[in-house]
Every structure is written in structure tokens, then in C-alpha cells.
Amino acid sequence: MTKINVDGTIVDVPPEFTVLQACEAAGAEIPRFCFHERLSIAGNCRMCLVEVKGGPPKPQASCAINVRDLRPGKDGEPPEVLTKSPMTRKAREGVMEFLLINHPLDCPICDQGGECDLQDQAMAYGVDTSRFAENKRAVEDKYIGVFVRTSMNRCIHCTRCVRFTNEVAGTGDMGSIGRGEDMEITTYLESAMDSELQGCIADLCPVGALLPKPYAFRQRPWELTKTQSIDVMDALGSAIRVDTRFREVMRILPRINDAVNEEWISDKTRQVVDGLKSRRLDRPLVRRDGRLQPASWTEAFAAIAAKVKATTPARIGAIAGDLQSVEDLFALQGLMGLIGSPNLDCRQDGTKLHPAMGRASYLFNATVQGIEDADALLIIGSNPRKESPVLNARIRKRWLKGNFPIGVIGENVDLTYPTLYLGAGPDTLAALPRDFAEILGRAERPLVLVGQGALSRPDGAAVLAKAASLAGAMASAPGGWRGLSVLHTAAARVGALDLGFVPGEGGMDALAMAKAGALDVLFLYGADEIAVEPGAFTVYVGTNGDRGASRADVVLPAATYTEKSGTYVNTEGRVQFAERASFPPGDAREDWAILRALSDALGTKLPYDSLNQLRVKLFAAHPHMARIDEIAEGPVADFTAHVGSAIGREPFVSPVVDFYQTNAIARSSRTMAEASALAANRIKAAQGQMQVAAE
């Protein structure tokens, strides 16, 4: 640690701290535009100028010098930094005056108004007049994709967007052309950005040059109600903030959570907002004369009760979807238990994960933050760039530090960092190339990432057992390194497995229940990703008019993840809590309330009348669910029963084909549809270029 004197306050800071960080540790406020804690140092804006005693007789850019570079006083006193001296104040006023030479003063119509760093800092550190009266420069707006709108006259060349796309996203979409007054930030050919994290540059932009396109000119920030929540578009559980006005969700922004998503979210998470209100189910529907027609709750429950009471429990089943909260799944599990049916499953993709193998068999055991401690990585049957873009950015962050070999078995795709492509399928997994096998053998903390593309196959259990052997011994001591890490694609999967939401003794799994003639009554609880063959009387409980609703005989409208408070468990086993931000439309109700009312109609009343009472039962049965933001380590998994099982020969394929169309809410979003079409055209063009090159 190094001592430094900031405005008379002595603080101890690490020597690698920048002077800006040291000043903030001492409680001093340092303005900045280009500096960002998660990006490299640029030193472009010069707004963070401070006076350094004993240094050059001019202001210093505090973001560009480290504490270790400061000289102590003549008698060994700590280096002295002044953040409020006349020199510092005058320097900041001058920098602000220069920044505003070409900046258009369109604050009343700028969509960044109320959230603009330039606006705030001009008030705090600027002056009321300018000595410059020359014409302001003009820059054409650029097309950079579906998610971000540009107004490049406002750009102050902080290069945050450039550094983000190069360092975090790894696509290098943004850059600068020209010099001096002719410098412009652009995508070079003004093409759409090719990143699943491109919306983050709108968060990073300190002015109104880059703005979220779908949200443009819709609302002012002070008119919004802000609610903390959890993302369910993938299994990472990113921390988000849902901004609403009255009953409508207006936008979704990231929250800082260093253990999970840092401060990034994917474009699907951010811009799926219009899918929350498009094609919504807002009243019960009952199929009459071959068509779904509106009905009352009483009529819908009566139709279900008549079928259930005329059917034996063994001919009734339930399949849970990918977006449900733990409370909802617990209620459905309880209802099926009261009915007496063993046919329930949360694995609509057919994955071979099972709680009987131990909690460690289906968790990302290394943890998301633990990726930065790994020293080798093997990816099996997964495309983390599409399945969890923010986790993929964490892998890239570790790769940037160096000495991190990454091998891939499965699809050979661009993951935004160099990889060693080992092979396409189980043959490679069974006989790992010698060079990479030696790398894993030497690694102290090897990480083996297994995706659902490797586990949702008939040989999934054997693949998992082989992956576990490559990951090394599973530490039994708390906090020990566990390299086997399962990357889920469904937000509800880990919570459901924790509850034991799998077939009971003699029960059928999801794929068996979906076959024609297997059941007489089937509950699809937000399950839209499984093809159900005709035959069973189908009850769909969900939010959007998607695949599940189209094949149902009775539709019960439910609440989306922003319209209910609930508990979720992410891929690493972290228990997370989401607050309700808005209310369901029309006659739609929260899921647990639907199941509670349905249990009355079936004559099998669930033992709670409120969400709090339900949680009391939940926490009593599963105590770790009450420990929010904690990871309960499960027992070491036992794979011995599957070690000798046969492994197939088909190559591993990621389950995420279209990143923007993975669930019912995303498929209801017009913005996601536009992004999906753009991505498909890009792939088609790339394939055409490859074909021409081959000829």
C-alpha cells in the first residue's frame, strides 16, 4: 500500500491505483468522460485534471498516472494532490469550454437529457459563457444496427464505445477515422454491429451521441419508476433495473453485480421490452368448435376439472418452461403431488441432468467470477457467445490477461477470442488430443464448460461423466476448486432441479409426455420449446400467444417476470430475488395464484393463500432458497454409474440457433425479429462470400 495526500486527507491505496482512483478513495469527486473502470486508459477528455505538488507546473490527467509514479515530498512526506485548487478549477473550466466548442446545445430535445454526464459536469465545472463563436462542425449520423441510434454531432471522442467493442465485446466494430476536427467515430463501412452486447455502448456514452434506438423519445428519466430485478433471457441471472411508467415497462438497464454480470447485459435482455406487451394473453381461453374462444376463469377451471377428474393420476402430466420462478414451480410441484401424478419434468430439451447425481452435477461449479482464476478452459458442446454473451465476455476478459489456453469440442465458431479447435463430437472427447490433454493435466485450476448441446442427447449422462473426469477431482472441502461447470440456457432450470422437479417413481420425462397417446391431460407451464404431439387435453399457463398456446385446449393467462416478484437460481447456483415492476394486463394473474385457484376447482387445495405463506413452505422444504445472493455448494457428484456408458458419434450442436428468438417473449418482440433478420442476412452474405472464394 502507498500513502497519498489528497486535499489534506491521507489515504492508503495500492500502488497500481490511478491518481483518479486514489482521489475517489479519499472522498474527492473527480469529473471524467473517457475514463471507465472496466476499460483501458485513454486519457482523451482531460476533464480529470488535478494539481500534483512537486510535479510539473501544470495540471495532470489523473486517470493516466499511477500512484507509484508520484514523487514524495523532500522530507519523505506522502505525495500531495490538489483537486480543488485554483489551477485545477481553471483547467477544468478550460476543458469544458473546449468540449462545448462543437457540441450542439440541443439539451431540450436531446433524449439523453437528465442522464447526460456532459450536462451535469457543465453545470458543476463549467462557466456561463464561451469565448468561441465559430460555426460548429457537422457530422453525419451513422447506421450501426437495430439497437443503437446515433447523433454524431454530439460526440466528444471519448472513445468509450471503441474500447468497449475492442476489449469487452471482442468484435472491434467501432473505430475512428480522420484526424483533428475531421475525426469521426464509426463502424467504418456504416454496417450493423456484429455483437450481442452492442447496446452497452449506449450506457457508456457520456453524451447523447449513442442512444438506445427502440427507446428513443419515449420518456424522460425522472418520470420513471425504477425496480431492481433479475434477467431471465438466459441462465446467468444478470442484475437488471426495470424502468416503468404506470403499468408499462419502458426500458431495462443493467445493475452492477461484480459476481455475475459486472455492469453489462445482452441486447436481448435490454431490448425485449416490446415483447412484454405484444401478443399478450390477457384473458382465459377455451377451445370450442376447434377454436380458442374467450371464457371466464370459472369456465376455464371447470373445463380443466372435468378432464382431470375423469382421468387417472398416471395419465396426467406437467412440463415446466424456462422462465418460471422457483415459487411458481414449487406451487405446480405441490399441485401435481396432490393430484398424485409422478409425471412432471422441467427438462423440455431432454437434458440428462438429474438431482439424484448431486447438486454439483448440474451447476457452474467454478462460478462466474471464478472464471478469472482458471488457468485452462475446455468448452464442450456449447457456444457461450450465443448461450450467455455476458459470461462469454468474462471468458474473454480472462483470456486478455494471458496464459489461458482454450479448447473447443463442438461447433467451430467465432467466440471473440482465439481457441484451439479440437473436434466436432464425442470421438474427440473420448480421445482428447495429446497436446491439450497435457495442458489440462498441468493446470492447477482447469475449467471444463459443458453446454446443453452435449447434455440434451441420449448419451448426455455419459458425456457429463467424461467431462467430469477431464475436469479433475471435485473438491469436497467448501471453497475448493471444482472445474466441472455446466452452462444452462434456461433461467428456471437450476431452481427446478433444486426442487426435484423431475419425474417421480414410474413417471415419464418431458419427451415421453409429449408423444401422442402418452397422457390424457398435459399441463404446459410456460413450456413453448417442446413439440407436443396431438392427443392429450392440453392446458397452457403462459404469457404470450406462442407455440404452447396455439396447441392448447385451455389457456390461462399468467404474469411475465417483470410482473411478479420471485426467486430465481442462476447457472452457478446463486439464489436471486426479483421485485415486481408492473402488473399483468387484463385478467392475467400471477402464476402461483392461478395454481392456487385451480387447486380449489380440482378439490385438492394447496396449503397457502398468499405468496408469503407459499415462501414459508418453500424455505422450510429447501432452506438454501432463503439465502439470497449466496451459492449453496452441493454434494460432490457421483458419476460412476455413467462412466462406462456408450457415447454416440453425432457432433455436438448448440441448442441456440437464433440468439434473438429463444423464448416466447423474445419471439413476440418486433425489435428481436428485426435483429434476427439482420443476423440471418449477415450469415447468408458470409456463406455467399465463402462459396465465391471456394469457386
Side-chain angles (χ1 to χ4, degrees):
M1 302 294 281
T2 302
K3 291 185 182 297
I4 182 173
N5 184 339
V6 180
D7 295 332
T9 301
I10 306 293
V11 292
D12 269 345
V13 295
E16 63 271 14
F17 261 33
T18 64
V19 172
L20 186 152
Q21 292 171 307
C23 291
E24 291 196 330
E29 181 179 346
I30 305 295
R32 87 292 299 269
F33 293 114
C34 68
F35 176 81
H36 193 277
E37 289 80 357
R38 304 189 196 278
L39 303 176
S40 60
I41 302 296
N44 290 339
C45 71
R46 321 306 287 183
M47 193 65 200
C48 63
L49 295 174
V50 296
E51 181 179 354
V52 179
K53 287 290 187 179
K58 61 179 182 179
Q60 303 288 300
S62 60
C63 72
I65 51 177
N66 289 339
V67 172
R68 65 162 66 96
D69 299 326
L70 300 182
R71 291 186 295 179
K74 61 181 181 179
D75 296 323
E77 304 96 337
E80 186 175 359
V81 175
L82 301 177
T83 68
K84 301 176 183 178
S85 66
M87 178 195 289
T88 302
R89 185 169 57 254
K90 185 177 180 181
R92 291 174 181 170
E93 289 176 357
V95 170
M96 182 59 67
E97 191 175 11
F98 273 114
L99 286 174
L100 295 178
I101 289 175
N102 285 307
H103 191 81
L105 301 181
D106 53 1
C107 297
I109 63 163
C110 177
D111 210 29
Q112 189 84 346
E115 297 175 311
C116 177
D117 292 349
L118 183 63
Q119 192 178 62
D120 295 340
Q121 293 184 37
M123 288 291 293
Y125 303 101
V127 292
D128 60 348
T129 58
S130 174
R131 292 168 288 176
F132 300 95
E134 290 79 10
N135 291 331
K136 296 180 183 290
R137 72 171 191 156
V139 183
E140 285 188 8
D141 294 341
K142 310 295 191 297
Y143 172 77
I144 62 174
V146 176
F147 300 114
V148 181
R149 180 177 64 87
T150 63
S151 183
M152 302 312 292
N153 282 334
R154 302 168 183 163
C155 181
I156 61 171
H157 300 165
C158 71
T159 69
R160 281 186 179 182
C161 56
V162 176
R163 284 174 284 151
F164 175 83
T165 57
N166 279 276
E167 298 166 14
V168 179
T171 54
D173 292 313
M174 302 289 285
S176 62
I177 58 174
R179 298 187 63 182
E181 190 177 23
D182 295 326
M183 178 179 171
E184 297 182 25
I185 303 296
T186 178
T187 54
Y188 300 113
L189 300 178
E190 296 192 28
S191 57
M193 298 177 67
D194 183 21
S195 171
E196 295 75 26
L197 301 171
Q198 58 187 272
C200 293
I201 65 174
D203 292 338
L204 292 172
C205 185
V207 294
L210 301 174
L211 294 163
K213 185 179 288 186
Y215 177 71
F217 302 110
R218 296 194 64 199
Q219 217 66 52
R220 289 297 191 183
W222 54 83
E223 299 175 317
L224 301 174
T225 300
K226 303 168 179 62
T227 308
Q228 295 186 355
S229 188
I230 299 297
D231 172 48
V232 300
M233 292 296 111
D234 58 32
L236 184 63
S238 299
I240 59 174
R241 193 187 83 196
V242 181
D243 289 356
T244 56
R245 187 167 189 267
F246 303 124
R247 297 173 65 97
E248 184 178 2
V249 175
M250 304 303 295
R251 65 177 179 180
I252 295 174
L253 296 175
R255 288 189 292 120
I256 295 177
N257 187 341
D258 289 329
V260 181
N261 61 305
E262 297 185 303
E263 58 185 270
W264 319 123
I265 55 173
S266 72
D267 296 328
K268 182 167 56 178
T269 299
R270 183 187 302 272
Q271 300 295 2
V272 78
V273 171
D274 59 326
L276 296 171
K277 57 179 179 292
S278 299
R279 299 170 60 190
R280 282 300 301 272
L281 301 172
D282 59 359
R283 65 181 68 181
L285 303 173
V286 176
R287 191 174 295 278
R288 302 189 186 100
D289 301 325
R291 297 183 62 184
L292 287 171
Q293 299 180 14
S296 66
W297 282 101
T298 302
E299 292 171 333
F301 287 156
I304 298 170
K307 287 290 183 179
V308 170
K309 291 175 181 178
T311 307
T312 60
R315 301 284 296 176
I316 301 173
I319 303 175
D322 296 342
L323 309 181
Q324 315 307 315
S325 70
V326 172
E327 290 87 347
D328 301 334
L329 295 168
F330 185 71
L332 180 59
Q333 185 183 38
L335 179 61
M336 296 303 293
L338 292 176
I339 292 174
S341 172
N343 306 314
L344 69 163
D345 201 356
C346 63
R347 306 163 300 177
Q348 57 177 329
D349 57 359
T351 184
K352 298 303 179 285
L353 299 172
H354 197 287
M357 290 191 290
R359 194 170 193 248
S361 68
Y362 57 83
L363 294 185
F364 199 95
N365 292 286
T367 73
V368 176
Q369 206 165 17
I371 292 173
E372 299 183 31
D373 298 324
D375 47 15
L377 170 63
L378 175 61
I379 299 174
I380 303 172
S382 176
N383 180 352
R385 179 175 175 181
K386 301 295 184 184
E387 296 170 22
S388 184
V390 178
L391 182 139
N392 192 63
R394 182 83 73 151
I395 296 174
R396 175 176 168 80
K397 179 182 179 181
R398 172 62 186 89
W399 170 78
L400 286 172
K401 294 179 180 179
N403 298 320
F404 190 54
I406 303 173
V408 173
I409 300 176
E411 297 175 286
N412 188 11
V413 294
D414 177 17
L415 296 178
T416 72
Y417 41 81
T419 60
L420 302 171
Y421 185 63
L422 306 177
D427 291 345
T428 307
L429 182 62
L432 205 63
R434 181 177 178 182
D435 292 347
F436 200 82
E438 291 177 353
I439 290 174
L440 281 182
R442 291 193 305 266
E444 295 181 3
R445 293 178 297 278
L447 197 162
V448 177
L449 187 157
V450 189
Q452 300 306 301
L455 301 177
S456 55
R457 304 158 37 112
D459 59 354
V463 170
L464 183 62
K466 181 61 179 177
S469 68
L470 293 175
M474 297 274 278
S476 57
W481 181 259
R482 295 183 177 184
L484 179 65
S485 300
V486 176
L487 178 59
H488 290 272
T489 55
R493 186 65 49 80
V494 174
L497 291 173
D498 281 352
L499 296 180
F501 201 99
V502 291
E505 186 176 352
M508 290 182 280
D509 63 15
L511 298 182
M513 284 187 274
K515 295 186 180 299
L519 297 173
D520 292 332
V521 178
L522 176 60
F523 289 91
L524 292 179
Y525 192 47
D528 294 279
E529 315 308 318
I530 185 171
V532 178
E533 297 178 9
F537 181 85
T538 305
V539 180
Y540 177 73
V541 184
T543 61
N544 295 73
D546 200 63
R547 301 165 183 169
S550 65
R551 63 173 69 99
D553 295 289
V554 176
V555 174
L556 304 178
T560 64
Y561 67 104
T562 62
E563 297 163 357
K564 59 186 177 185
S565 65
T567 305
Y568 298 89
V569 186
N570 76 345
T571 190
E572 60 182 348
R574 184 183 302 274
V575 180
Q576 301 171 295
F577 185 72
E579 294 279 4
R580 180 173 62 188
S582 59
F583 294 89
D587 290 335
R589 295 291 182 268
E590 293 184 38
D591 304 57
W592 75 268
I594 294 174
L595 296 172
R596 169 62 181 78
L598 178 59
S599 70
D600 260 347
L602 297 178
T604 54
K605 183 179 177 181
L606 288 168
Y608 37 77
D609 297 316
S610 69
L611 185 56
N612 286 337
Q613 292 177 4
L614 184 155
R615 285 181 176 143
V616 169
K617 299 284 186 182
L618 171 64
F619 297 157
H622 306 278
H624 74 283
M625 291 294 180
R627 299 196 290 271
I628 302 299
D629 206 35
E630 292 185 15
I631 301 174
E633 286 192 346
V636 177
D638 181 11
F639 299 105
T640 54
H642 306 284
V643 169
S645 302
I647 298 180
R649 302 181 61 86
E650 297 80 11
F652 298 130
V653 179
S654 171
V656 179
V657 178
D658 188 342
F659 169 70
Y660 301 104
Q661 303 282 284
T662 56
N663 57 63
I665 298 175
R667 286 189 290 269
S668 300
S669 166
R670 180 176 179 179
T671 304
M672 293 298 105
E674 292 178 9
S676 175
L678 190 63
N681 291 337
R682 185 185 296 113
I683 293 172
K684 186 176 180 180
Q687 291 173 343
Q689 292 174 359
M690 292 175 61
Q691 185 175 358
V692 170
E695 294 173 354

